[in-house]
Amino acid sequence: MILQWFSALPLRKKVIYPIWTLLTLSTMILGASVAHFMGVTHSANLYTRTSILAQGIASNLSGALIFNDKQTGLDQMDALSFDPEVIAARVEHVNDELFAKLDNLPDNCSWFEQEIHCSHSVFFAITHPITLDNEHLGNLTVWASKDSMFEQRNQILTIFLFTTVAFSILALFFAHGLHRLIATPLLSIFNSMQTVIKKGVTEQRLHIVHPDEIGKLTHCFNEMLDNLSQRDSQLTLAFQRLEDKTHYINQVLDSLDQGLLVVSPNKNVIYHNPAARLLLPQIKLNNDEITSLNQQHIENLLSDFEPLNRLTLLRECLESHQRLEPTTLRHQGTGQQYQISTYPIAGEYNSLIHIEDISQRYLIEQRQRMAEMIFDQNPSSVIVVTRTMTIETKNNAFIQTFGNISHLNQLCLRQPVEFNASVLKQLLRLGYFKLQTDVTSKLISKNSNGKSHWLPCLLTIKTIKNGDDKVESFVISINDQTQVKELQRLNFEANHDGLTQLANRQNAYKQLLNAHKKETSIYLIFLDLDGFKAVNDTYGHQCGDDLLKIIAQRLTNNVFENDLVARLSGDEFLLGLFMPNTKISEHEVHAILQRILDAINLPIRINECNPTVSASIGAYYWEGNDHIPLEDALEKADKAMYQAKLSGKNRYHITK
């Protein structure tokens, strides 16, 4: 109906209506597409930004959850307030107990138990686990508003609405002008052609009315009539050549790997090449002639494909005799992926369908997209560097940490990598090289002291080789070790004496119990300083503290590296001599204890002071297969120490 109505229109309207409609619809579609794209992009960016922000805050909340430091947790969560889209955040322990909450709700939103309800605002929530060494400590939930995104989209739609109206008016004027430029000369040609048709093209020539472009066209038409008789003889030869070319084209089509189908206007398949028969086994051939094809409907051949909306689009293109850009269909039975496109064939309104099996290519593209997603979402900073040290690509974590730098010389290392022979040999032999150093970049802002902000990092450099086994580029992974260093520091402080840096009581007992579980024999040595109180009374506690540091260093220097040296409290020390499989001789034990006494008795000089102390030592041999508890073994060593004090101090006593 639409085609018939359009065909009955005068030429003037045929020119004006399509141009005006096409330009108007193009403007409307462009406006809607831009608004939709802006909305989708803004929504994706908002979600990604909120997710990354939540991940960063969650990684910094592990310490606060461990120590139940709510103030530190709130300080960490204040960073979320810098994002105007974040309206609320909530941190919960593993048992769903509230730890901390950030509340920036708009007026139309309110809390209902643990959820947010808004009258007209649109928001979404992101929950990120808070972990430490694969241990789940709690969850961080962040709520972000989409109101600004919708406001921006409505503004864009309003602008494009007014633009569409203005452009539609201009398109109408343009169509009228185009009609005046084209329709009038064509009307002259139409009248001339009617005269030629009535009087015969071989007897009458067209009269040239005006010496313009139409007149030149008429002159060419007259010359064409003069040449028609000469072309008759040439047409016979041309038809013969065309037949030969058709035969050649058929051979080429039969040798193609892609399937080709020619479909008539009633959607019957009238031609197919051998590749199409392999891709579509439903094609049935006549028994009499193997190369001929039964009249089969194209929809029957494609009935096992999906999705339906693309099949509908294919049907519409065949019906309207239009081109269909390559689109992907999936076979329901085999799961194979096919790329199908159509091309209209002029003349008989047939359509050429091109079918290609892209299952392998589709799988490769899927894997490539997955690899790109994993690379971009990797929490570690990763860059790919060419042989010229130019950064080829980088992930989001690297950009957030070091900025959007483009060359490797913008990345600063406190301990630069020297590509000497040993490093290059390791890279070529193992394919990787690791380095522990501090890293910063020229785009990272300096701190308040004007110094660069260095991050402790673990650098891993790996090579990428081509098919000829030659290095093409390098992958550099940069792992931030700040949290690891902080945990190591906290662990050291929890297990060592703050003054002497020796193991504390808890750490010492733990090491002794672990060694005894492995049936390791240990000499337990209690050591108490003689005269330490007099040093504090005479020279002050600062001198006493410095004295304890010196004694701790002397004790450490006079035992083996794997032996235990701990400070229990005050001037009391505990030593653990871990024995090898065979018990050392009694003479060697006496020599070790005497060496410790001699080291303590050496002169000491502290800030013009000469404090003098000695030591009373008690020792007990705790065998690996001895079943007495650690407390009892330590009590025996303690009693031996008191026995040494009662015997005159500055000596040792070994008990059994």
Side-chain angles (χ1 to χ4, degrees):
M1 290 295 295
I2 296 177
L3 293 177
Q4 294 177 357
W5 171 80
F6 184 79
S7 300
L9 290 176
L11 181 61
R12 177 176 57 84
K13 294 184 179 181
K14 287 182 179 179
V15 174
I16 294 175
Y17 285 175
I19 295 177
W20 177 76
T21 303
L22 179 62
L23 294 178
T24 303
L25 289 178
S26 299
T27 306
M28 295 176 63
I29 293 172
L30 177 62
S33 300
V34 171
H36 177 72
F37 177 78
M38 293 283 293
V40 173
T41 304
H42 192 171
S43 178
N45 291 340
L46 175 61
Y47 186 87
T48 302
R49 187 179 73 228
T50 305
S51 178
I52 293 174
L53 184 59
Q55 181 180 359
I57 297 302
S59 64
N60 294 329
L61 286 172
S62 56
L65 281 176
I66 293 176
F67 297 101
N68 199 23
D69 189 352
K70 294 187 177 181
Q71 185 58 41
T72 301
L74 290 173
D75 293 340
Q76 295 289 342
M77 292 175 65
D78 282 341
L80 294 170
S81 301
F82 291 99
D83 192 334
E85 309 296 339
V86 176
I87 60 174
R90 180 183 179 94
V91 178
E92 298 177 348
H93 290 283
V94 178
N95 57 5
D96 295 335
E97 180 183 357
L98 177 63
F99 175 74
K101 182 171 73 173
L102 177 66
D103 190 349
N104 291 328
L105 294 178
D107 296 336
N108 63 89
C109 298
S110 61
W111 289 95
F112 183 77
E113 295 182 355
Q114 298 181 3
E115 299 293 331
I116 296 176
H117 293 273
C118 298
S119 60
H120 59 269
S121 292
V122 181
F123 62 91
F124 65 93
I126 293 178
T127 301
H128 196 279
I130 303 174
T131 60
L132 179 63
D133 293 337
N134 297 326
E135 181 181 356
H136 188 194
L137 304 178
N139 296 303
L140 168 64
T141 303
V142 179
W143 287 267
S145 174
K146 292 185 176 181
D147 291 346
S148 62
M149 178 188 70
F150 290 122
E151 292 177 2
Q152 183 180 10
R153 186 187 63 182
N154 293 335
Q155 292 175 359
I156 294 174
L157 287 175
T158 302
I159 293 172
F160 269 100
L161 178 61
F162 287 102
T163 304
T164 301
V165 174
F167 199 81
S168 177
I169 296 173
L170 292 176
L172 188 60
F173 282 100
F174 173 77
H176 277 283
L178 187 62
H179 167 260
R180 287 193 298 271
L181 292 175
I182 298 177
T184 302
L186 289 178
L187 184 60
S188 176
I189 296 178
F190 171 75
N191 294 330
S192 300
M193 290 296 297
Q194 276 195 334
T195 303
V196 172
I197 293 173
K198 291 179 180 179
K199 297 183 178 181
V201 295
T202 59
E203 299 177 357
Q204 183 86 18
R205 297 295 180 264
L206 295 177
H207 179 66
I208 299 176
V209 180
H210 301 288
D212 55 3
E213 289 81 3
I214 302 300
K216 294 179 181 179
L217 181 61
T218 305
H219 176 70
C220 293
F221 184 78
N222 291 333
E223 291 183 348
M224 180 188 67
L225 294 177
D226 295 335
N227 294 329
L228 281 178
S229 59
Q230 300 177 8
R231 298 294 178 91
D232 288 338
S233 58
Q234 298 177 0
L235 282 177
T236 304
L237 180 61
F239 282 133
Q240 182 62 40
R241 292 178 179 176
L242 181 60
E243 185 178 354
D244 295 339
K245 290 182 179 180
T246 302
H247 180 69
Y248 172 75
I249 291 174
N250 288 334
Q251 289 181 335
V252 173
L253 294 178
D254 290 344
S255 64
L256 289 178
D257 293 333
Q258 294 93 15
L260 296 176
L261 299 173
V262 177
V263 181
S264 63
N266 57 359
K267 298 183 184 179
N268 285 329
V269 179
I270 59 176
Y271 169 79
H272 79 287
N273 66 344
R277 188 166 65 250
L278 295 176
L279 295 175
L280 301 174
Q282 304 96 321
I283 295 179
K284 298 178 181 179
L285 300 178
N286 290 332
N287 296 328
D288 300 332
E289 189 176 358
I290 194 65
T291 59
S292 65
L293 179 69
N294 285 328
Q295 295 294 313
Q296 299 182 61
H297 204 274
I298 184 62
E299 293 188 3
N300 295 332
L301 298 180
L302 301 178
S303 60
D304 293 334
F305 288 84
E306 58 181 10
L308 294 178
N309 59 335
R310 296 180 183 175
L311 287 175
T312 302
L313 180 61
L314 173 61
R315 185 187 305 110
E316 293 175 353
C317 290
L318 292 175
E319 291 175 352
S320 59
H321 199 243
Q322 294 180 354
R323 179 178 178 181
L324 174 64
E325 296 296 332
T327 185
T328 303
L329 296 177
R330 190 179 71 88
H331 194 276
Q332 298 178 8
T334 62
Q336 295 289 101
Q337 299 283 340
Y338 295 90
Q339 188 177 75
I340 297 181
S341 57
T342 64
Y343 303 87
I345 301 176
E348 299 180 359
Y349 291 95
N350 295 331
S351 297
L352 175 66
I353 299 180
H354 176 268
I355 304 176
E356 182 181 2
D357 188 349
I358 60 168
S359 300
Q360 291 298 325
R361 187 174 69 189
Y362 180 81
L363 181 60
I364 293 173
E365 292 175 354
Q366 287 288 94
R367 291 176 179 174
Q368 182 178 357
R369 286 193 290 269
M370 185 178 298
E372 291 176 354
M373 181 182 66
I374 294 173
F375 172 80
D376 204 39
Q377 296 181 356
N378 194 332
S380 301
S381 299
V382 182
I383 57 176
V384 178
V385 181
T386 62
R387 294 171 64 94
T388 60
M389 298 297 107
T390 300
I391 297 178
E392 185 176 6
T393 182
K394 46 192 171 290
N395 65 350
N396 289 330
F398 181 86
I399 296 175
Q400 293 174 2
T401 305
F402 301 104
N404 194 12
I405 64 177
S406 59
H407 201 276
L408 197 61
N409 58 13
Q410 294 177 281
L411 199 65
C412 305
L413 306 182
R414 194 185 293 272
Q415 180 185 349
V417 180
E418 297 181 1
F419 286 96
N420 50 30
S422 60
V423 173
L424 292 176
K425 183 177 180 181
Q426 181 178 348
L427 269 174
L428 295 175
R429 182 171 58 88
L430 301 179
Y432 70 91
F433 174 76
K434 292 187 177 183
L435 175 67
Q436 188 84 34
T437 184
D438 295 337
V439 183
T440 187
S441 74
K442 296 181 180 179
L443 298 184
I444 296 180
S445 60
K446 297 183 178 180
N447 56 24
S448 58
N449 297 328
K451 298 181 179 180
S452 298
H453 181 64
W454 293 92
L455 293 176
C457 298
L458 174 63
L459 269 71
T460 303
I461 305 174
K462 296 183 179 180
T463 59
I464 299 179
K465 298 182 179 180
N466 57 18
D468 298 330
D469 201 30
K470 293 183 179 180
V471 177
E472 278 191 344
S473 55
F474 304 91
V475 177
I476 301 179
S477 177
I478 306 175
N479 293 302
D480 188 358
Q481 302 290 298
T482 303
Q483 189 174 6
V484 175
K485 295 288 185 182
E486 180 64 17
L487 291 176
Q488 291 176 350
R489 184 186 66 80
L490 293 175
N491 182 65
F492 184 84
E493 291 181 356
N495 291 280
H496 292 79
D497 177 52
L499 178 64
T500 62
Q501 304 301 309
L502 297 177
N504 57 17
R505 182 188 299 270
Q506 179 182 0
N507 188 7
Y509 286 9
K510 182 179 179 180
Q511 291 188 44
L512 293 174
L513 287 173
N514 289 337
H516 191 66
K517 288 180 181 179
K518 299 177 182 178
E519 297 186 355
T520 301
S521 299
I522 309 170
Y523 264 102
L524 300 176
I525 300 174
F526 255 104
L527 186 148
D528 186 81
L529 296 180
D530 303 325
F532 179 72
K533 184 177 182 304
V535 172
N536 280 336
D537 295 341
T538 304
Y539 301 108
H541 289 281
Q542 183 60 46
C543 181
D545 291 344
D546 293 339
L547 174 64
L548 290 176
K549 294 179 182 178
I550 295 174
I551 296 300
Q553 186 61 47
R554 291 182 177 182
L555 292 176
T556 303
N557 294 339
N558 283 276
V559 296
F560 292 105
E561 182 179 358
N562 295 329
D563 290 337
L564 169 67
V565 180
R567 180 191 176 203
L568 300 182
S569 63
D571 58 347
E572 293 183 354
F573 295 87
L574 173 62
L575 284 74
L577 306 182
F578 299 105
M579 298 293 103
N581 294 332
T582 58
K583 181 179 178 182
I584 62 177
S585 64
E586 186 175 349
H587 174 72
E588 291 175 322
V589 176
H590 284 276
I592 294 173
L593 297 177
Q594 187 60 46
R595 185 171 68 241
I596 294 174
L597 288 175
D598 294 340
I600 295 176
N601 288 327
L602 291 175
I604 299 174
R605 180 76 174 177
I606 303 174
N607 296 331
E608 305 300 330
C609 301
N610 297 298
T612 302
V613 293
S614 60
S616 298
I617 299 176
Y620 171 72
Y621 181 66
W622 191 24
E623 293 187 12
N625 55 3
D626 195 345
H627 296 293
I628 69 171
L630 174 61
E631 291 77 7
D632 295 344
L634 292 175
E635 184 179 357
K636 290 179 179 289
D638 189 29
K639 290 181 179 180
M641 182 270 294
Y642 278 106
Q643 183 65 36
K645 279 188 177 292
L646 294 176
S647 301
K649 301 180 180 180
N650 194 23
R651 65 192 65 215
Y652 60 85
H653 180 77
I654 302 175
T655 186
K656 297 182 180 179

